[in-house]
């Protein structure tokens, strides 16, 4: 067996060499194309000038906006039209590959699920790593709390200078979303809709009927002294019937189906110099690839602006979203479709589903839970934001911003008396019902003042006072031993066992923010900012923290010595340094807890409380991340080629962790601020208009992200006194290593017949067993031979292509993640069919037998799992994916105007069409038992009136 670490290293080097070559070729070809000579003229306005240059892009930053040339912090703008090209209901998935430094991974492939978003790596161990999402100045619970078709712009704030003005909760990055607003002129109506189908790709094979038969024979052979046993002693009567007839069960074909998806978005915009309104309606419906799984979502938005007079303006933004999702026991269904034996019968003679298709208790019919389990979820999100703008004199503006956000969650799960779990529990059903709601309100007073001195000295000041509070309530009742299914989930009161769980908490933040900005002649930029935050979640001695930042910028291309370099139209240097805080822990962790305990007093049972296992910590405080960021922005040939290169290093200290205590103290744990983590990385983005003619355009974009995190310090303990801080081996945390790692033995092959096993480091092994690397060469396999492997990728990136020819357009995004290792339990787990015991089906492997000594998996054995098989689980999960491809046609405006339309476009989009990877799963980001990530193909239309 090949050494997995060596394979990974070779792939890392190969991938990076290919990337460097690709970048080099790209730059030379783009430069050549950008310099080709075209007949061109000068576009002028009525004054004979202001037409030579396109309107400069505006970028949204914290509590304001700037021209792109004036931005000196790390802010990435993502175009709204690029987001909606991806056929999904998840905005996180739309963001994948669109911004360097932003890693999006699949959370769940089920309809209506969302993705995980991480900006510049993992910084916290227990304090959360999700960025905050702010929509029109209001923090929302999820990036999917907004309709993608309502987005006007999206900005990602990546460095501390950009984030620090948001201080609290900004340590993991900030995503700013601005929604569309009404515009002056007659009413405009726009509709975008698409409909299509979903399937799945599978990057693994399972044993066919004949192959599974042979696997089972080999497993029993091993336990019979190497002699095959008669089939009648191995297989049940049902299995023998299937074997003899050659009729095997294809469980995947029975369990999975072709899914469907549709998305319809309608918006209306109108306004005049006093009043404007934007309203939208969105409907999404998806039927998943697993039967009975579906998702429906309806969203409504109204944004209103009313100008009272020249110096007072009021407005409000409101949105409402309601969704319903059905998702039966999908994880169990998918798992069983892979691992259930292909031998036997699906149905009884009366047409009902057979519980044990092959007659063995280990293999139950996966189709049963599709019809006998339910998991119904309802979500409601609504946001109301009202604001008042007061501008009494030039340059000064005051905004009162008030908002309320509420979220309501309902879940009803039920397993009938005929479900697999019900049948296993003597025909008794089970279920649970949960209600949860969260309400957050926020009030902000925002003051801004911008003024100039002597024309070239530009000043700006921002002051913000903010207060917010969040209240969460949850009730769940879990029921067991329900005697009948008459009322289903609504009959929980008839259960023999009901276990209620009730929780409630509230948390609040009070903040004060200040920022001063100065630039001289749009060349030299200086900004300082600071934010003071107080949070209720910390100890009474450390509620408050201060987060400062400073950044400088230099527009080098505006200097006189650059004027003769006509090819360079933009060259900017940026440097920043600052701190942000993380308070993403549950309220009350700084305090002690009390556990309920029952007593008998006078023969009567009464309830009381005793001290819990957590020691209070009144000094619990903010987790703080401090970042240095340096960057170069480059524009060549009038921005035909643009590039940004950034390097950053972040130190996160006072990590919020649960510290284990000596139980002799009477407590087992305490929440503390301990240790330090480092993240450092390199990001590069290049975009080019390779060809830019009137009727033909070709655009090419590349992005590259490399991040490394490592633990600098943990608990400060040195038990053996060697002067080196101790690792936390129990929790797999090691000084100098990444936060998340694997720590296990390294397989290097299979023992062969004739090999000197007795004198090896595994003297009790047999031919066909897994050979483990003796790392330190002491002839013994023990904990000193375990190898640390990081779970983080080496790098990830995107190649984007765009073609336009007259009205036709084609765009494609290729996304890659390289140098990432994942554990795949389907290669070794018994319940996942990986233990080669001939009981469960599973991912097909080339296993060792005396006749097949070249097999790279151990010899099957019916009695026990092969020794050390757990160590075979690590796989290279690097991949290259065609993330999205869209082909469309926009009809000429002079033609569509004849039928009363302002624009008309039709398009065909494919998402996740193919993935190249060695990781054996439906998706390289999830194990095979998770809900599969769908391949989506849709056709759609976009039109305006």
């Amino acid at each position: 067996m090949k050494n997995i670490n060596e394979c990974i290293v070779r792939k890392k080097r190969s991938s990076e060499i290919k990337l460097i070559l690709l970048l080099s070729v790209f730059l030379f070809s783009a430069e050549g194309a950008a310099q080709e000579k075209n007949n061109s003229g000068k576009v002028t306005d009525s004054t004979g000038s202001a037409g030579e240059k396109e309107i400069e892009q505006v970028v949204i930053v914290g509590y304001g906006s700037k021209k792109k040339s004036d931005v000196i912090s790390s802010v990435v703008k993502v175009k709204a039209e690029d987001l909606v090209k991806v056929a999904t209901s998840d905005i996180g998935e739309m963001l994948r590959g669109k911004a360097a430094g932003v890693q999006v991974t699949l959370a769940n492939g089920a309809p209506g699920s969302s993705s995980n978003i991480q900006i510049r790596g993992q910084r916290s161990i227990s304090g959360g790593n999700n960025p905050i999402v702010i929509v029109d100045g209001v923090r929302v619970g999820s990036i999917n709390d907004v309709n993608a078709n309502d987005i006007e712009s999206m900005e990602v704030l990546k460095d501390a200078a950009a984030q620090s003005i948001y201080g609290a909760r900004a340590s993991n990055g900030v995503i700013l979303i601005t929604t569309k607003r009404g515009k002056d002129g007659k009413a405009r109506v726009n509709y975008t809709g698409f409909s299509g189908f979903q399937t799945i790709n599978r990057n693994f094979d399972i044993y066919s009927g004949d192959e599974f038969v042979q696997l089972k024979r080999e497993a029993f052979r091993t336990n019979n002294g190497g002699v095959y046993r008669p089939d009648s002693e191995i297989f049940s009567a049902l299995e023998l019937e299937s074997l003899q007839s050659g009729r095997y069960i294809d469980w995947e074909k029975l369990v999975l189906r072709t899914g469907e998806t549709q998305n319809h978005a309608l918006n209306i915009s109108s306004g005049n110099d006093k009043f404007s309104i934007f309203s939208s309606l969105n409907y999404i419906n998806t039927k998943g690839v697993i039967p009975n799984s579906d998702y429906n979502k309806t969203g409504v938005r109204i944004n209103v602006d009313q100008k009272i007079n020249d110096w007072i303006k009021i407005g409000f933004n409101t949105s409402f979203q309601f969704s319903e999702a059905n998702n039966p026991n999908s994880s169990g269904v998918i798992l069983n479709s892979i691992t259930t034996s292909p031998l036997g019968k699906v149905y009884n003679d009366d047409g009902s589903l057979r519980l044990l298709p092959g007659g063995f208790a280990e293999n139950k019919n996966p189709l049963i839970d599709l019809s006998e389990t339910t998991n119904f979820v309802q979500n409601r999100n609504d946001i109301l934001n009202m604001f008042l703008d007061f501008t009494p004199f030039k340059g000064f503006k005051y905004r009162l911003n008030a908002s309320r956000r509420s979220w309501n969650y309902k879940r009803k799960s039920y397993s009938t008396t005929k479900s697999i779990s019900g049948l296993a529990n003597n025909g008794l059903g089970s279920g649970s019902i949960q209600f949860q709601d969260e309400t957050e309100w926020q009030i902000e007073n925002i003051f801004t003042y911008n003024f100039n001195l002597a024309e070239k000295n530009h000043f700006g000041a921002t002051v913000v006072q903010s207060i917010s509070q969040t209240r969460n309530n949850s009730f769940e009742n879990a029921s067991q031993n329900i005697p009948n299914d008459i009322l289903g989930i609504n009959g929980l009161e008839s259960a023999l066992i009901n276990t209620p769980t009730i929780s409630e908490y509230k948390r609040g933040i009070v903040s004060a923010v200040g920022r001063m900005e100065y630039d001289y002649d749009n060349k030299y930029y200086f900004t300082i900012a600071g934010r003071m935050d107080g949070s209720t979640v910390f100890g009474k001695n450390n509620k408050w923290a201060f987060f400062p930042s400073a950044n400088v910028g230099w527009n080098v291309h505006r200097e006189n010595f650059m004027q003769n370099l006509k090819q360079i139209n933009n060259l900017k240097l940026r440097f920043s340094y600052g701190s942000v805080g993380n308070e993403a822990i549950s309220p009350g962790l700084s305090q002690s807890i009390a556990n309920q305990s029952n007593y008998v007093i006078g023969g009567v049972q009464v309830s009381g409380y005793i001290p819990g296992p957590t020691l209070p910590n009144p000094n619990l405080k903010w987790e703080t991340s401090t970042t240095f960021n340096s960057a170069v922005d480059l524009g060549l040939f009038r921005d035909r080629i643009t590039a940004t290169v950034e390097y950053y290093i972040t130190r996160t200290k006072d990590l919020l962790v649960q510290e284990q205590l000596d139980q002799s103290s009477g407590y087992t744990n305490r929440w503390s601020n301990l240790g330090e983590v480092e993240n450092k990385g390199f990001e590069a983005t290049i975009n080019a208009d390779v060809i830019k003619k009137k009727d033909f355009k070709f655009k090419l974009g590349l992005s590259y992200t490399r991040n490394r995190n490592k633990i600098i310090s943990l608990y400060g303990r040195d038990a053996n006194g060697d002067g080196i801080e101790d690792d936390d081996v129990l929790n797999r945390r090691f000084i100098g290593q990444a936060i998340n790692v694997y720590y296990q033995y390294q397989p290097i092959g299979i023992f062969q017949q004739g090999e000197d096993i007795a004198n090896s480091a595994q003297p009790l092994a047999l031919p066909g067993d897994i050979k483990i690397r003796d790392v330190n060469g002491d002839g013994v396999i023990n904990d000193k031979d375990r190898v640390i492997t990081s779970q983080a990728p080496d790098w990830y990136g995107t190649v984007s292509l765009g073609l336009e020819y007259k009205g036709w357009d084609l765009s494609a995004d290729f996304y890659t993640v390289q140098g990432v290792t994942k554990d795949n339990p389907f290669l070794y787990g018994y319940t996942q069919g990986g233990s080669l015991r001939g009981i469960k089906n599973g991912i097909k492997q080339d296993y060792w037998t005396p006749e097949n000594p070249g097999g790279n998996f151990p010899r099957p054995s019916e009695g026990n799992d092969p020794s050390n098989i757990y160590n075979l689980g690590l796989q290279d999960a690097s991949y290259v994916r065609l993330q999205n491809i869209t082909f469309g046609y926009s009809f000429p405006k002079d033609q569509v105007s004849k039928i009363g339309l302002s624009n008309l476009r039709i398009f065909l989009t494919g998402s996740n069409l193919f993935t190249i990877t060695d990781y054996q799963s439906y998706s390289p980001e999830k194990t095979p038992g998770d809900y599969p990530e769908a391949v989506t193909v849709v056709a759609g239309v976009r039109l305006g009136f």
Side-chain angles (χ1 to χ4, degrees):
M1 182 180 295
K2 292 183 178 179
N3 183 316
I4 187 170
N5 283 355
E6 293 178 355
C7 292
I8 291 173
V9 169
R10 285 196 295 269
K11 290 193 176 186
K12 292 175 185 175
R13 292 172 179 169
S14 175
S15 300
E16 293 183 3
I17 291 172
K18 290 178 182 177
L19 179 72
I20 294 171
L21 291 174
L22 181 60
L23 285 170
S24 302
V25 172
F26 163 67
L27 283 172
F28 282 116
S29 62
E31 180 178 354
Q35 295 186 77
E36 64 182 5
K37 295 182 178 179
N38 295 315
N39 293 326
S40 61
K42 181 178 179 181
V43 180
T44 62
D45 60 13
S46 58
T47 66
S49 61
E52 293 183 86
K53 189 176 182 180
E54 295 181 358
I55 298 175
E56 187 166 357
Q57 190 180 70
V58 174
V59 177
I60 306 300
V61 295
Y63 299 107
S65 62
K66 290 182 176 296
K67 294 185 298 182
K68 186 176 181 180
S69 62
D70 292 335
V71 175
I72 58 172
S73 54
S74 186
V75 181
V76 178
K77 186 179 184 70
V78 181
K79 296 180 180 178
E81 57 266 30
D82 291 335
L83 292 172
V84 295
K85 287 180 180 179
V86 184
T88 178
S89 61
D90 178 19
I91 297 179
E93 192 64 25
M94 295 179 184
L95 184 59
R96 184 192 290 256
K98 300 296 190 301
V102 180
Q103 185 180 14
V104 179
T105 55
L106 179 68
N108 191 317
S113 62
S114 59
S115 297
N116 298 316
I117 302 174
Q118 196 171 92
I119 299 176
R120 289 186 166 179
Q122 180 179 352
R123 305 181 187 184
S124 181
I125 292 177
S126 304
N129 287 279
N130 297 323
I132 60 170
V133 181
I134 297 174
V135 179
D136 295 327
V138 178
R139 191 183 76 89
V140 298
S142 165
I143 196 171
N144 290 320
D145 287 355
V146 64
N147 167 22
N149 291 281
D150 292 345
I151 296 177
E152 180 72 23
S153 68
M154 177 186 289
E155 278 81 10
V156 181
L157 311 187
K158 299 191 295 184
D159 70 342
Q163 301 161 359
S164 64
I165 199 165
Y166 288 106
R169 298 170 291 193
S171 64
N172 299 310
V174 182
I175 298 176
L176 298 180
I177 295 176
T178 305
T179 60
K180 297 174 181 177
R181 313 201 69 80
K183 298 179 180 179
D184 290 350
K186 63 179 182 179
R188 300 176 181 87
V189 180
N190 293 283
Y191 166 79
T192 301
F194 62 74
S195 179
F197 65 88
Q198 294 183 325
T199 60
I200 60 171
N201 286 333
R202 187 178 76 177
N203 188 48
F204 62 92
D205 291 319
I206 59 177
Y207 298 99
S208 67
D210 290 330
E211 290 167 338
F212 182 77
V213 167
Q214 188 59 30
L215 170 64
K216 193 163 188 175
R217 288 170 176 161
E218 290 292 345
F220 278 82
R221 174 194 182 189
T222 301
N223 286 71
N224 194 41
V227 179
Y228 287 111
R229 294 174 61 181
D231 285 351
S232 59
E233 297 180 7
I234 299 174
F235 301 97
S236 70
L238 286 168
E239 290 182 317
L240 283 172
E241 183 180 341
S242 183
L243 188 158
Q244 292 164 359
S245 66
R247 291 193 294 269
Y248 302 120
I249 305 171
D250 186 342
W251 289 112
E252 185 183 70
K253 186 176 293 186
L254 294 172
V255 166
L256 300 180
R257 67 180 180 183
T258 299
E260 301 173 9
T261 184
Q262 56 179 312
N263 190 320
H264 305 278
L266 178 71
N267 67 64
I268 303 174
S269 172
S270 65
N272 53 42
D273 59 345
K274 295 290 186 182
F275 177 82
S276 64
I277 182 171
F278 172 86
S279 59
S280 70
L281 176 66
N282 181 229
Y283 174 72
I284 298 171
N285 175 263
T286 301
K287 296 180 180 178
V289 294
I290 296 178
N292 300 329
S293 66
D294 56 62
Y295 175 74
N296 293 277
K297 181 178 179 181
T298 302
V300 178
R301 171 173 291 277
I302 300 176
N303 292 347
V304 173
D305 297 277
Q306 174 69 60
K307 188 176 181 181
I308 305 300
N309 53 41
D310 290 340
W311 49 278
I312 296 180
K313 175 185 174 182
I314 60 173
F316 74 85
N317 313 308
T318 182
S319 68
F320 173 85
Q321 291 185 333
F322 178 79
S323 66
E324 293 182 340
N326 284 292
N327 190 11
N329 184 18
S330 59
S331 60
V333 169
I334 290 293
L335 171 65
N336 290 334
S337 72
I338 296 171
T339 62
T340 301
S341 167
L343 308 179
K345 289 185 176 181
V346 179
Y347 299 97
N348 294 306
D349 293 338
D350 62 0
S352 61
L353 290 171
R354 183 182 292 273
L355 174 63
L356 306 177
F360 291 103
E362 293 88 348
N363 289 300
K364 295 180 174 63
N365 195 326
L367 296 178
I368 291 177
D369 275 353
L370 281 178
S371 57
E372 301 299 333
T373 67
T374 57
N375 184 38
F376 178 63
V377 174
Q378 291 179 314
N379 270 294
R380 191 211 68 212
N381 287 281
D382 58 76
I383 300 173
L384 176 62
N385 170 226
M386 303 183 67
F387 61 87
L388 165 69
D389 286 344
F390 179 69
T391 54
F393 54 88
K394 183 179 180 181
F396 177 84
K397 179 180 178 180
Y398 163 71
R399 167 168 283 199
L400 172 64
N401 194 37
S403 63
R404 179 187 182 276
R405 176 183 68 86
S406 68
W407 168 70
N408 182 270
Y409 171 89
K410 297 178 181 178
R411 178 184 57 82
K412 296 179 179 180
S413 301
Y414 188 66
S415 297
T416 72
T417 57
K418 298 178 181 179
S419 67
I420 291 178
S421 63
L423 293 172
N425 192 29
N426 298 317
L428 295 174
S430 61
S432 67
I433 186 168
Q434 182 181 8
F435 300 98
Q436 188 172 358
D437 63 79
E438 183 173 281
T439 303
E440 179 178 9
W441 59 264
Q442 175 180 273
I443 297 177
E444 291 181 314
N445 294 287
I446 307 169
F447 302 85
T448 57
Y449 183 44
N450 298 297
F451 62 95
N452 301 332
L453 291 178
E455 295 186 4
K456 293 185 177 182
N457 297 280
H458 310 137
F459 294 88
T462 302
V463 176
V464 181
Q465 181 272 330
S466 174
I467 183 171
S468 67
Q469 186 181 83
T470 304
R471 183 183 293 272
N472 186 288
N473 296 277
S474 178
F475 169 79
E476 181 177 7
N477 188 78
S479 302
Q480 296 177 319
N481 299 346
I482 302 172
N484 59 66
D485 302 320
I486 296 175
L487 297 178
I489 190 65
N490 297 312
L492 297 186
E493 67 272 12
S494 65
L496 298 181
I497 301 175
N498 277 301
T499 307
T501 303
I502 302 171
S503 67
E504 178 180 358
Y505 69 80
K506 66 177 180 180
R507 63 193 303 158
I509 291 182
V510 178
S511 307
V513 185
R515 178 174 64 196
M516 287 292 298
E517 301 171 283
Y518 168 74
D519 81 78
Y520 176 77
D521 198 22
N522 299 120
K523 291 183 186 178
Y524 315 113
Y525 298 84
F526 306 90
T527 300
I528 58 171
R531 176 163 179 148
M532 179 73 75
D533 285 306
S535 173
T536 61
V537 304
F538 295 115
K540 63 179 181 179
N541 298 332
N542 283 309
K543 299 288 187 185
W544 291 87
F546 178 68
F547 304 107
S549 71
N551 50 329
V552 297
W554 179 21
N555 269 334
V556 182
H557 71 281
R558 294 184 182 272
E559 298 290 353
N560 292 332
F561 61 79
M562 294 290 294
Q563 300 311 305
N564 292 329
L565 300 175
K566 301 299 183 182
Q567 298 90 344
I568 301 176
N569 63 280
N570 179 38
L571 177 59
K572 180 165 60 177
L573 304 179
R574 299 185 275 112
F575 303 92
S576 68
Y577 185 81
S579 298
V580 286
N582 190 352
E583 51 105 49
I585 58 172
S586 299
L589 295 185
S590 66
Q591 301 169 309
S592 61
I593 62 175
N595 291 339
Q596 182 180 346
S597 181
N598 295 325
Y599 301 87
V600 177
I601 300 178
V604 179
Q605 178 176 302
V606 296
S607 293
Y609 292 90
I610 60 174
T614 301
L615 180 68
N617 183 1
N619 296 315
L620 193 68
K621 61 183 178 181
W622 293 80
E623 184 176 280
T624 303
S625 294
T626 302
T627 300
F628 168 75
N629 191 89
S630 58
V632 178
D633 298 319
L634 181 66
L636 304 175
F637 314 111
R638 305 178 81 175
D639 279 345
R640 290 284 296 276
I641 300 175
T642 61
T644 296
V645 177
E646 300 196 58
Y647 172 80
Y648 63 88
I649 181 168
T650 300
R651 286 288 185 97
T652 302
K653 64 179 183 178
D654 298 326
L655 298 172
L656 293 163
V657 296
Q658 192 172 28
E659 182 183 11
Q660 302 303 309
L661 303 177
D662 185 346
Q663 296 189 19
S664 63
S665 66
Y667 297 93
T668 61
N669 62 81
R670 176 181 66 176
W671 279 88
S672 304
N673 296 99
L674 299 169
E676 186 173 0
V677 168
E678 178 186 86
N679 272 269
K680 60 182 177 182
F682 173 81
E683 301 165 358
T685 302
I686 304 174
N687 293 288
D689 294 321
V690 181
I691 300 175
K692 191 175 182 181
K693 296 183 178 180
K694 180 181 179 181
D695 290 333
F696 181 57
K697 298 180 177 65
F698 173 44
K699 297 181 179 180
L700 184 60
L702 298 172
S703 72
Y704 171 87
T705 300
R706 181 186 181 98
N707 179 82
R708 292 287 183 274
N709 74 48
K710 67 178 180 180
I711 297 174
I712 303 297
S713 176
L714 281 170
Y715 313 118
R717 299 170 183 163
D718 181 11
N720 59 8
D722 63 355
I724 300 175
E725 184 177 349
D726 295 340
D727 296 321
D728 181 1
V729 179
L730 181 64
N731 292 298
R732 303 295 189 260
R733 294 168 185 160
F734 302 91
I735 308 297
Q737 299 292 335
I739 296 175
N740 292 324
V741 299
Y742 300 110
Y743 182 60
Q744 59 194 64
Y745 299 122
Q746 188 178 76
I748 55 174
I750 302 294
F751 281 109
Q752 301 295 326
Q753 291 178 330
E755 192 170 350
D756 187 9
I757 299 177
N759 292 314
S760 73
Q762 298 165 258
L764 300 181
L766 297 172
D769 285 352
I770 298 169
K771 185 187 299 184
I772 299 299
R773 181 186 172 198
D774 182 8
V775 174
N776 61 2
D778 63 358
V780 179
I781 300 298
N782 54 30
D783 284 347
K784 295 180 180 179
D785 297 304
R786 295 182 184 271
V787 176
I788 298 173
T789 305
S790 173
Q791 298 180 23
D794 277 353
W795 64 275
Y796 55 93
T798 305
V799 177
S800 300
L801 307 174
L803 285 169
E804 294 180 23
Y805 177 69
K806 296 186 176 179
W808 299 95
D809 64 86
L810 174 69
S811 63
D813 294 325
F814 294 87
Y815 182 71
T816 183
V817 178
Q818 294 295 321
V820 60
T821 301
K822 276 183 60 67
D823 180 68
N824 190 343
F826 281 73
L827 303 185
Y828 60 84
Y830 170 74
T831 58
Q832 290 84 6
S835 61
L836 300 173
R837 294 177 63 177
I839 298 173
K840 289 181 172 292
N841 203 352
I843 295 179
K844 185 170 68 174
Q845 304 295 348
D846 182 16
Y847 53 81
W848 188 97
T849 67
E851 296 78 20
N852 182 40
N856 56 11
F857 264 66
R859 186 175 189 176
S861 174
E862 182 271 334
N864 297 291
D865 292 355
S867 300
N868 295 308
I869 193 170
Y870 165 77
N871 299 288
L872 294 180
L874 298 189
Q875 280 192 317
D876 182 5
S878 304
Y879 68 91
V880 176
R881 170 181 293 165
L882 177 55
Q883 185 71 21
N884 184 76
I885 185 168
T886 298
F887 178 62
Y889 178 72
S890 299
F891 291 85
K893 290 189 175 182
D894 58 347
Q895 294 184 12
V896 299
S897 63
K898 297 177 182 178
I899 56 176
L901 298 179
S902 60
N903 61 79
L904 174 61
R905 180 175 184 268
I906 56 175
F907 59 90
L908 183 68
T909 293
S911 299
N912 188 29
L913 290 184
F914 69 81
T915 302
I916 302 173
T917 182
D918 291 334
Y919 189 75
Q920 293 176 291
S921 181
Y922 290 105
S923 166
E925 295 179 349
K926 305 297 287 185
T927 58
D930 297 318
Y931 198 108
E933 185 176 13
V935 175
T936 304
V937 177
V938 301
V941 61
R942 180 173 297 141
L943 54 87
F945 299 92

